[in-house]
Amino acid sequence: MTTTDEDERVRRTSTETDPDIYNEDGVVRSDFLTKISDAIERQDVPFLQQNVVRLHDSELGDLLESLPPHERLALVRLLGNDFDMTALTQVDEAIRMEIVDQMPNDQIAAGIGELDSDDAVYILEDLDQEDRDEILSQLPFTERVRLRRALDYPERSAGRRMQTEFVAVPPFWTVGQTIDYMRDEEGLPEAFTQIFVIDPTFKLLGSIDLDRILRAKRQAKVEGIMRETSHPIPAEMDQEEAAQLFEQYDLLSAAVVDENQRLVGVLTIDDVVDVINEEADEDIKRLGGVGDEELSDNVTSTVRSRFVWLAVNLITAILASSIIDVFDGAIAKMVALAVLMPIVASMGGNAGTQTMTVTVRALATGDLDIYNAFRVIRREASVGLINGILFAIIMGAVATFWFHDFQLGIVVGAAMIINLVAAALGGILLPLILHRFGADPAIASSAFVTTVTDCTGYFAFLGIATWWFAIH
Amino acid sequence: MTTTDEDERVRRTSTETDPDIYNEDGVVRSDFLTKISDAIERQDVPFLQQNVVRLHDSELGDLLESLPPHERLALVRLLGNDFDMTALTQVDEAIRMEIVDQMPNDQIAAGIGELDSDDAVYILEDLDQEDRDEILSQLPFTERVRLRRALDYPERSAGRRMQTEFVAVPPFWTVGQTIDYMRDEEGLPEAFTQIFVIDPTFKLLGSIDLDRILRAKRQAKVEGIMRETSHPIPAEMDQEEAAQLFEQYDLLSAAVVDENQRLVGVLTIDDVVDVINEEADEDIKRLGGVGDEELSDNVTSTVRSRFVWLAVNLITAILASSIIDVFDGAIAKMVALAVLMPIVASMGGNAGTQTMTVTVRALATGDLDIYNAFRVIRREASVGLINGILFAIIMGAVATFWFHDFQLGIVVGAAMIINLVAAALGGILLPLILHRFGADPAIASSAFVTTVTDCTGYFAFLGIATWWFAIH
């Protein structure tokens, strides 16, 4: 009854009843951190082994992120082969690279050998070719082949994310045989929720959830209780698409197959949760004009990643300002125009951002499609018009009192209506057009939308003012 | 071997091998939609039963969302008790309310009776008190008590999201007894991945993953192989906090306990995935200045939800413009100032939004804490300064050539540096302060940040210009 797997579990169990390393804000407790820092300083390996090795990998990851950089490296060095490399999958890329770069390749190889294949791939894929090959060459043959196969699939594909360890049985086995096999076999994956049914060429026939095995009689045949796999995931499939299948069908794990429908791995919900988080992260950051940035990035790479977006914005801002330049005569005659024009532009920018946010998100979640696009466009135009009228009245009144000029109030009101309608249309049509042409609507929409609202705002307001005051 | 549960599974299996209802864009196929619409029109119940009842609940949800409103109601009416109410958990709130409002309470009660308790609660919680009571009164006693208990927990708590069906066994049972129990018991939950161990008072002792049962010998004792539950989830816990526990410890399901540590339900990863999506959605929408809006909301409620945000923005825009008003004399003398000032403000707004996006996201994911806050603030200030200098040079050159005025280039450059540093500091400090005082940083940050960058931009640029041209 005592396999290595059991030991692993027992160790974990005792772990998790130990006091929490987090304070009530969910941050690593400072007294715990101080104890670890002190132990690192006095190179107290037994203390670290006792207090760090017991941590869950995500807790170790949080600990690493909370330590200053030199202590991170020292801790990894002091722990040696007791360092659980799974923790590296839980930290920011910059921190992972910093640690891995300092680890000797043979320590990495030893650590990688202990990992589930999906975690191993996650760490290996960021290394440069040379280091990766050296590490792979130090692994046992079957493991090397498995990892290489996963690494051969494109980045962000299901094949990269899958775990290559799984339980598969032939269709003619009975439930009893299957249970006996699981009781005796020592090389099973650490945790699993379904087993797969394959033919002798590894072609996927179906799957059985564990609860189904437990409810079946011992003499029942595997092929009698298996469920045909309705959604095997091609290894080449994009991870985001795979995640959508998990969400749609509430899957816990799913078979990953190669182009010949042969079972090559299993994708599990915990990886999918990571994908969902990554994709949401990406959308939020793209809408905010920051790329693949991480919190641990240094100044240089942050400057570089933000510069591009600011440069795009500079061009659009200059474009909008050149419209103001056209009306410099009107502004010279009436400085109040210069005071009021940013208000019109800013309201348009915000209204446009509102519509764009809803549109981009609805496109990302698949809620917006050809069946409701027209209804949504009509709704947005109506909302823009109504809010335009409301804010035209408010801002018209404000401008009238501010500059004691009723006509100025009329002009700013008219411009407000035009700009809020333009904002609504720009906010929905630009993302839809970008999406239609296969571009990611999150990435460029906000620059385009503010260009539209700035230009429309300045042009409408200054244009109407010029015309109105010329005829009155 | 043929329980109702088996039938359910067999039906699903045959279902899922049927042709896909989606086209390659992941949208419901239009020929399928036309066939369904036609059948609804000619009230062809057998056709609908054959083609709609077989759908997975999420597919039925997508179908409902793709149909025009009157056909949705007609479809639900035609299907009668064959309508799978689980589909209602898969559609937008507005559509759900529209359908539920039209269904007679006894049809809802019949449908609710078929659902898992978490889905039932999801539908019941949106109804008004009177309808809810009437529906509950038509349910069998135990079910009514279970649902009422879940509904008594606060909104967005683990207790609301949990499923009240679970498998629990006493600690002195053997693995063999447990398996025999599962083989014979017909009232098991539809799917589960772990079973719980409880004492006679329902107090939670531990849990066992199903794979662990399958690997254990029949004569092993439950208490010998169970794992003490390290993270039982209090029913009152906020769903977002519960989701973070799932993510941190890669859980598939977790026990939910009441204040006396008694097992009351189980929270499963599929609900957690929904929570993760909802929370990401909320962050994105709040950053974009839209509240709890859904795509199916009507014009009135959309106008209302967006009005507030635009009104806040109007106030901040007026505040910024009143700064311009202070410098009307300078603008009257030199209209170029009015042309260039929006560029300085806009660059600050965008740089501030970048920093704010990173900060808000890092706070939401728990990546930003007291251990790295100072490092991140220092980094943001440096990035602001460096990008400020770079864009000062670029924009200084542009202004010099545009208006043939080198001094104007100096002024715009100086203002750019000041505003980009202010943007960086505002972008990180404002969300941190809001977070510190328990407010959601996503909700108000962007209004505050643009106020800071607009005011700083105008004040720095027009102020420096006034001073510079006064002394030169």
Side-chain angles (χ1 to χ4, degrees):
Chain A
M1 171 96 209
T2 312
T3 69
T4 47
D5 224 56
E6 294 299 323
D7 287 342
E8 159 77 359
R9 275 162 184 276
V10 169
R11 200 190 62 188
R12 285 224 187 153
T13 308
S14 75
T15 296
E16 291 171 2
T17 52
D18 275 316
D20 205 346
I21 69 160
Y22 301 103
N23 66 18
E24 64 273 28
D25 288 338
V27 174
V28 178
R29 273 179 20 233
S30 60
D31 58 329
F32 177 74
L33 209 59
T34 314
K35 272 198 291 187
I36 299 296
S37 285
D38 291 348
I40 292 172
E41 206 173 320
R42 62 172 194 271
Q43 312 218 340
D44 187 347
V45 176
F47 181 90
L48 292 174
Q49 276 175 333
Q50 195 188 336
N51 287 280
V52 175
V53 175
R54 67 170 174 89
L55 297 180
H56 186 275
D57 52 65
S58 65
E59 294 171 336
L60 179 52
D62 285 337
L63 172 62
L64 285 173
E65 289 193 335
S66 304
L67 288 172
H70 66 280
E71 291 188 7
R72 283 176 203 147
L73 298 172
L75 176 61
V76 171
R77 218 173 2 241
L78 289 171
L79 288 177
N81 286 337
D82 281 334
F83 173 65
D84 177 4
M85 284 189 59
T86 317
L88 292 181
T89 64
Q90 308 276 353
V91 299
D92 260 16
E93 192 184 340
I95 295 178
R96 179 164 59 250
M97 296 309 288
E98 171 197 299
I99 294 175
V100 172
D101 278 350
Q102 296 294 322
M103 285 172 79
N105 279 343
D106 52 336
Q107 191 190 347
I108 300 180
I112 289 273
E114 304 282 310
L115 298 185
D116 283 341
S117 64
D118 51 345
D119 292 332
V121 167
Y122 194 83
I123 292 172
L124 286 172
E125 66 183 357
D126 285 337
L127 299 180
D128 54 42
Q129 191 64 43
E130 203 183 319
D131 285 333
R132 192 196 291 175
D133 287 342
E134 193 184 324
I135 292 164
L136 282 172
S137 71
Q138 297 183 31
L139 294 176
F141 177 74
T142 39
E143 202 157 330
R144 184 164 69 234
V145 170
R146 284 177 162 194
L147 292 179
R148 266 203 208 290
R149 183 162 58 176
L151 284 164
D152 276 346
Y153 289 113
E155 257 187 89
R156 300 170 147 262
S157 67
R160 274 286 177 96
R161 290 282 186 163
M162 73 188 179
Q163 200 172 312
T164 51
E165 300 92 0
F166 49 78
V167 181
V169 298
F172 51 81
W173 275 20
T174 62
V175 166
Q177 269 177 300
T178 307
I179 295 183
D180 292 342
Y181 163 75
M182 287 191 271
R183 284 200 183 125
D184 298 333
E185 173 68 36
E186 302 209 348
L188 296 182
E190 205 186 297
F192 55 98
T193 59
Q194 63 176 185
I195 64 171
F196 299 99
V197 186
I198 52 172
D199 76 6
T201 65
F202 258 75
K203 203 164 273 178
L204 179 69
L205 301 174
S207 67
I208 319 179
D209 291 336
L210 295 191
D211 61 325
R212 198 152 164 71
I213 296 180
L214 283 166
R215 291 188 234 209
K217 305 278 176 230
R218 267 189 79 86
Q219 57 275 25
K221 276 269 204 288
V222 159
E223 58 194 338
I225 63 162
M226 80 178 189
R227 208 196 279 212
E228 254 183 79
T229 305
S230 45
H231 306 285
I233 294 182
E236 310 273 340
M237 183 184 264
D238 184 79
Q239 58 179 14
E240 194 173 358
E241 224 177 305
Q244 277 167 359
L245 279 181
F246 268 73
E247 283 183 73
Q248 170 128 34
Y249 298 105
D250 287 340
L251 307 177
L252 290 176
S253 61
V256 179
V257 295
D258 67 9
E259 61 276 24
N260 301 316
Q261 298 298 310
R262 276 183 314 215
L263 183 64
V264 290
V266 51
L267 199 63
T268 50
I269 183 81
D270 56 310
D271 296 320
V272 170
V273 167
D274 291 342
V275 171
I276 293 171
N277 273 320
E278 269 174 38
E279 303 291 343
D281 222 57
E282 212 177 76
D283 275 357
I284 291 179
K285 287 187 175 160
R286 284 181 176 177
L287 282 171
V290 282
D292 286 338
E293 243 185 81
E294 289 189 75
L295 207 63
S296 54
D297 286 355
N298 62 24
V299 174
T300 326
S301 67
T302 311
V303 166
R304 205 176 300 137
S305 88
R306 299 205 192 153
F307 182 87
V308 181
W309 179 253
L310 290 176
V312 170
N313 178 64
L314 183 63
I315 295 168
T316 68
I318 290 175
L319 188 69
S321 281
S322 64
I323 290 180
I324 303 176
D325 199 21
V326 171
F327 295 99
D328 59 347
I331 293 174
K333 266 190 267 169
M334 192 187 237
V335 177
L337 296 181
V339 176
L340 292 175
M341 65 181 188
I343 298 177
V344 177
S346 153
M347 289 298 282
N350 275 275
T353 302
Q354 288 180 326
T355 304
M356 180 199 72
T357 302
V358 173
T359 309
V360 165
R361 189 62 191 159
L363 284 169
T365 54
D367 287 339
L368 187 61
D369 53 44
I370 46 166
Y371 301 114
N372 56 11
F374 282 102
R375 197 186 63 74
V376 177
I377 293 171
R378 215 170 41 231
R379 183 194 71 175
E380 287 301 325
S382 311
V383 170
L385 183 64
I386 295 171
N387 268 332
I389 293 171
L390 293 174
F391 284 102
I393 294 169
I394 298 171
M395 194 53 219
V398 170
T400 303
F401 283 103
W402 192 347
F403 295 99
H404 310 289
D405 186 342
F406 179 64
Q407 300 197 21
L408 195 57
I410 298 278
V411 171
V412 85
M416 189 73 88
I417 295 175
I418 293 173
N419 205 22
L420 259 57
V421 172
L425 294 175
I428 186 157
L429 294 178
L430 287 171
L432 279 176
I433 292 167
L434 286 168
H435 179 74
R436 183 73 194 74
F437 289 101
D440 177 354
I443 212 163
S445 294
S446 70
F448 284 143
V449 171
T450 17
T451 309
V452 167
T453 55
D454 278 356
C455 292
T456 310
Y458 295 137
F459 187 79
F461 178 58
L462 298 174
I464 294 175
T466 305
W467 166 77
W468 180 273
F469 291 110
I471 62 165
H472 283 84
Chain B
M1 170 92 212
T2 313
T3 69
T4 47
D5 223 58
E6 293 300 325
D7 287 342
E8 161 76 359
R9 275 160 185 279
V10 169
R11 199 190 64 185
R12 284 228 189 150
T13 309
S14 75
T15 298
E16 291 170 0
T17 51
D18 276 315
D20 205 345
I21 69 160
Y22 301 103
N23 67 18
E24 64 273 26
D25 289 337
V27 174
V28 177
R29 272 177 25 230
S30 60
D31 58 329
F32 177 73
L33 208 58
T34 315
K35 270 198 292 186
I36 299 295
S37 286
D38 290 348
I40 292 172
E41 205 173 322
R42 62 171 194 273
Q43 311 217 341
D44 186 346
V45 177
F47 181 91
L48 291 174
Q49 276 176 333
Q50 195 188 337
N51 287 279
V52 175
V53 176
R54 67 171 175 86
L55 297 180
H56 186 274
D57 53 65
S58 64
E59 294 171 336
L60 179 52
D62 286 338
L63 171 63
L64 285 173
E65 289 194 334
S66 304
L67 289 171
H70 66 279
E71 291 188 7
R72 281 175 206 148
L73 297 173
L75 176 61
V76 171
R77 215 168 9 235
L78 288 170
L79 288 176
N81 285 336
D82 282 335
F83 173 64
D84 177 4
M85 283 189 61
T86 318
L88 292 181
T89 64
Q90 308 276 352
V91 299
D92 261 16
E93 192 184 338
I95 295 178
R96 179 163 59 249
M97 296 307 289
E98 170 197 300
I99 294 175
V100 172
D101 278 350
Q102 297 295 322
M103 285 172 79
N105 279 342
D106 53 334
Q107 191 189 346
I108 300 180
I112 289 273
E114 303 281 308
L115 299 185
D116 282 342
S117 64
D118 51 345
D119 292 332
V121 167
Y122 194 83
I123 292 172
L124 286 172
E125 65 183 356
D126 286 337
L127 300 180
D128 53 42
Q129 191 64 42
E130 202 184 320
D131 285 332
R132 193 196 289 175
D133 286 340
E134 193 186 323
I135 292 164
L136 282 171
S137 71
Q138 297 184 30
L139 294 175
F141 177 74
T142 39
E143 203 158 329
R144 184 164 70 234
V145 171
R146 282 179 165 192
L147 292 178
R148 265 202 209 289
R149 183 162 60 180
L151 284 163
D152 276 347
Y153 289 113
E155 260 190 85
R156 298 169 149 264
S157 68
R160 276 284 178 97
R161 291 281 187 165
M162 72 187 180
Q163 201 172 312
T164 51
E165 300 92 1
F166 49 77
V167 182
V169 299
F172 50 82
W173 276 19
T174 62
V175 165
Q177 270 177 297
T178 307
I179 294 182
D180 293 341
Y181 163 74
M182 287 191 271
R183 285 200 182 126
D184 298 332
E185 173 68 34
E186 302 209 346
L188 295 182
E190 205 186 297
F192 55 97
T193 59
Q194 63 176 186
I195 64 172
F196 300 99
V197 185
I198 51 172
D199 76 6
T201 65
F202 258 75
K203 203 164 270 179
L204 179 70
L205 300 174
S207 67
I208 318 178
D209 291 336
L210 295 191
D211 62 327
R212 196 151 165 72
I213 296 180
L214 284 166
R215 291 186 234 210
K217 305 279 175 230
R218 269 188 77 84
Q219 58 276 25
K221 276 269 202 289
V222 159
E223 59 194 337
I225 62 163
M226 79 177 192
R227 209 196 280 209
E228 252 182 82
T229 305
S230 45
H231 305 286
I233 294 182
E236 310 273 341
M237 183 184 263
D238 183 79
Q239 58 178 14
E240 193 173 358
E241 223 177 305
Q244 277 168 359
L245 279 180
F246 268 73
E247 284 183 70
Q248 169 127 36
Y249 298 105
D250 287 341
L251 307 177
L252 291 177
S253 61
V256 179
V257 294
D258 67 9
E259 62 277 21
N260 300 317
Q261 299 298 308
R262 278 182 314 215
L263 183 64
V264 290
V266 51
L267 200 63
T268 52
I269 183 81
D270 56 312
D271 295 320
V272 169
V273 167
D274 291 341
V275 171
I276 293 172
N277 274 319
E278 268 174 40
E279 301 291 344
D281 223 57
E282 212 178 77
D283 275 358
I284 292 179
K285 288 187 175 161
R286 285 182 175 176
L287 283 172
V290 281
D292 285 337
E293 242 185 78
E294 289 188 76
L295 207 62
S296 55
D297 286 354
N298 61 25
V299 174
T300 324
S301 68
T302 311
V303 166
R304 206 177 299 138
S305 89
R306 299 208 192 150
F307 182 88
V308 180
W309 179 253
L310 290 176
V312 170
N313 179 63
L314 182 64
I315 294 168
T316 69
I318 291 175
L319 188 69
S321 281
S322 64
I323 291 179
I324 303 176
D325 200 22
V326 172
F327 296 99
D328 59 347
I331 294 173
K333 268 190 266 172
M334 190 186 238
V335 178
L337 296 180
V339 176
L340 292 175
M341 68 181 187
I343 298 178
V344 176
S346 154
M347 291 297 283
N350 274 275
T353 303
Q354 289 180 326
T355 304
M356 180 199 70
T357 303
V358 173
T359 308
V360 166
R361 190 62 191 157
L363 284 170
T365 54
D367 287 341
L368 187 61
D369 53 44
I370 47 165
Y371 301 114
N372 56 11
F374 284 101
R375 197 186 62 73
V376 177
I377 293 172
R378 217 169 40 232
R379 183 193 71 175
E380 289 300 326
S382 311
V383 170
L385 183 64
I386 295 171
N387 267 333
I389 294 171
L390 293 173
F391 284 101
I393 295 169
I394 297 171
M395 194 54 219
V398 170
T400 303
F401 283 103
W402 191 347
F403 294 99
H404 311 289
D405 186 340
F406 178 64
Q407 299 196 22
L408 195 56
I410 298 276
V411 171
V412 86
M416 189 73 87
I417 295 175
I418 293 172
N419 205 22
L420 261 57
V421 171
L425 293 176
I428 185 157
L429 293 178
L430 287 171
L432 279 176
I433 292 167
L434 287 169
H435 180 73
R436 184 72 192 75
F437 288 101
D440 178 353
I443 210 161
S445 295
S446 70
F448 285 143
V449 171
T450 17
T451 308
V452 167
T453 55
D454 278 355
C455 292
T456 311
Y458 295 137
F459 187 79
F461 178 57
L462 297 175
I464 294 174
T466 305
W467 166 78
W468 180 273
F469 292 110
I471 61 165
H472 284 85

